[in-house]
Structure formats: C-alpha cells, structure tokens
Amino acid sequence: MKKEIFLQELRAFVKGLDEYVSTKDNQWTVKGFIDVFKNIYTISADTKIVSKILEIHLLPKLLEFAQGQGFKIVLPDHQNYYPDISFVYAADESIKYALDFKTTYRLSDYPNHCNGFTLGSHGEYFINRSSRKNIQFPYKEYSGHFVLGAIYTRTAPEQLSETQVAGLNQLRSITSVIKDIQFFANEKWKIASDQRGSGNTANIGSISSIEDLLTGNGMFSQLGEQWFDDYWMNYGKITTIDETGKEKKIKTLAEFAQFRGGEVKLIVTRTRKTKVSKNRNA
C-alpha cells in the first residue's frame, strides 16, 4: 500500500471517531474509572492522563482499521519508544508506517489555536536512521510517519463536580473533563514547526494553528520532507556569524534557508493568534 493511499484511508477512518468517543452533547464518554464495587472515580484534566486514556479508548478501533487495511499492529516494546503504533503490511512486511497519537487542547483566549504537541525526537534515531535506540524499527524502515491528532476543549473547573467517588446511578450526571473532540490525520513533517516542542529536550514541535494542523499547512509543507529532515537533523549544530561578529547557532527555518542559499518560499501559518476580547460588563 502506497503512503498516499494509507493517509487517505486513515483520514476516512478518523471522520467517525468523534461519534465513537462522544455523547450527544459532545462530552467525552469517559467519566472516570470503575472498581469491582461499582464505584466511579472521576479523573482530572491532566493532559497526560487524558491523552493516555483516550489512546486506550481508541485502540480497539485502530485494530479494526489495521485489519481492514491488511496491516498488523506492533506496539512498542518499551515505554517512550517511537512510534506509538507501527503498522506492518501483512502482504509485504517491508512496508511499515509509523503512527503517533497526539492530543492537545484549544486555547481559550485564542480559539483558532491549540497548545500544540511534540512530534518525536530529532536525536539519535532521527539522525542515524539505522539506529534502534528508542525506536521500534529503524527510522529508515518506515515508509511514512503519521500523526493521529485529537484537539479538544477543556471543561472549565467550575463546571466539574467536586465529587471524587460516585455510584453507577450518578454516571450520567458526571461532567466530562473534556468535550468537543476533533480528530485529524496528517504526515508528521507537514504539521511541523521550526521550534522544539518541549523546552530543552530534543523533540520536534508542531504548529499551533488548528486550521493549519487540519490541512497540513506546516512550515515545511511547501518545501518538502527533505527540507524537514535536513533542518531537524542539523538543528542547533550549524553556527553562523551575526552582525556583531559573534557566533550563533541556527535555530530558525529562515536562518537555515539563508544558510543553505536556496530560493525558498517560507510558510507562515495563515491564522494569526487573535485574542478573544472579554466584555467585562457582560
């Protein structure tokens, strides 16, 4: 199966996921954990907790999708290995696709933007594509690298119940910690930014414009995957001389394009961050 066809099928698959995980009023159907005594323990809106539970929630559907497309699913042997799921084509096991599951929340003050997420490491396995460090299969063995993303709205704290333990008869009265979940699928390089996604760790950051995430209009989208690979393989390693005569490391795509000497069209996300003005008299 070609990469383009896999992405097409993946996008068709994600169209129905919002109904699978949401109630009629668009709340997440997951309300908490239940024990053998039928006590329901509500969960917090912590992003790591939400992300992991949502991933588990979707796994049966992902298994159905894989079987329907003729793939086997391989889960990582170790925690924090890349990717979250490896799709291996049963008819030809040399065809593998990497899929990372990513979640993020809408920014309340900037409704067209989300908090963004990381897109995997640009360290050892990304640079040395035969490496098996922190990756299920060597990077070069994957025919494509994809993201299945979920963008959601966090429920306001004042709308959440203070009840930490509830009975089954209270299930429907529990307010979900997230709502309005929107799924998308895209190739990783098409939604990448030129900045790290998590401080000093070697993780590639995503763009934050929701429209651009959905359409794959990232900073490298008009340049191509080779520019994405070249930039992130060399991120922070190339130094130039600034106008004061001091050395500085290249850490932006504009500087990198200038260094490479190419005539390129740099992409700036189309949707600016426009803060919502709040009427204090309302």
Side-chain angles (χ1 to χ4, degrees), residues 128-185:
N128 176 11
R129 303 209 162 180
S130 298
S131 173
R132 289 184 173 271
K133 183 179 179 181
N134 299 329
I135 190 169
Q136 187 63 28
F137 300 105
Y139 200 92
K140 68 178 183 179
E141 291 189 13
Y142 290 100
S143 303
H145 299 264
F146 301 90
V147 169
L148 193 167
I151 305 170
Y152 59 84
T153 298
R154 295 191 293 186
T155 303
E158 61 269 19
Q159 295 177 357
L160 296 174
S161 172
E162 294 182 359
T163 304
Q164 297 300 309
V165 183
L168 277 177
N169 62 330
Q170 299 172 283
L171 178 62
R172 293 192 177 276
S173 66
I174 299 173
T175 302
S176 302
V177 294
I178 65 171
K179 58 185 178 181
D180 301 326
I181 307 169
Q182 183 177 20
F183 293 95
F184 69 91

Side-chain angles (χ1 to χ4, degrees), residues 41-227:
Y41 300 84
T42 56
I43 59 176
S44 75
D46 181 280
T47 53
K48 290 184 179 180
I49 293 175
V50 169
S51 180
K52 192 60 185 178
I53 297 175
L54 192 52
E55 181 183 347
I56 294 169
H57 196 176
L58 293 176
L59 189 56
K61 281 291 184 182
L62 284 165
L63 287 168
E64 288 180 16
F65 168 75
Q67 292 169 358
Q69 300 299 323
F71 284 88
K72 298 183 293 183
I73 275 184
V74 178
L75 299 177
D77 291 334
H78 303 281
Q79 188 177 3
N80 297 327
Y81 262 38
Y82 175 84
D84 292 328
I85 297 175
S86 297
F87 286 82
V88 181
Y89 200 41
D92 182 357
E93 294 193 357
S94 68
I95 299 175
K96 301 181 182 74
Y97 294 117
L99 181 72
D100 256 358
F101 180 68
K102 298 295 181 180
T103 64
T104 186
Y105 55 87
R106 297 179 182 90
L107 299 177
S108 57
D109 287 343
Y110 303 93
N112 295 320
H113 284 256
C114 63
N115 194 50
F117 41 80
T118 59
L119 295 170
S121 172
H122 60 86
E124 171 63 22
Y125 70 70
F126 190 84
I127 297 167
N128 176 11
R129 303 209 162 180
S130 298
S131 173
R132 289 184 173 271
K133 183 179 179 181
N134 299 329
I135 190 169
Q136 187 63 28
F137 300 105
Y139 200 92
K140 68 178 183 179
E141 291 189 13
Y142 290 100
S143 303
H145 299 264
F146 301 90
V147 169
L148 193 167
I151 305 170
Y152 59 84
T153 298
R154 295 191 293 186
T155 303
E158 61 269 19
Q159 295 177 357
L160 296 174
S161 172
E162 294 182 359
T163 304
Q164 297 300 309
V165 183
L168 277 177
N169 62 330
Q170 299 172 283
L171 178 62
R172 293 192 177 276
S173 66
I174 299 173
T175 302
S176 302
V177 294
I178 65 171
K179 58 185 178 181
D180 301 326
I181 307 169
Q182 183 177 20
F183 293 95
F184 69 91
N186 252 315
E187 287 189 75
K188 180 169 75 171
W189 69 271
K190 286 188 176 182
I191 58 173
S193 75
D194 64 347
Q195 296 299 303
R196 283 176 168 173
S198 54
N200 294 323
T201 58
N203 279 308
I204 300 166
S206 76
I207 54 176
S208 64
S209 162
I210 294 175
E211 181 182 359
D212 290 330
L213 283 169
L214 299 179
T215 58
N217 192 47
M219 295 189 69
F220 300 88
S221 60
Q222 299 299 315
L223 302 177
E225 191 170 8
Q226 289 183 336
W227 272 88

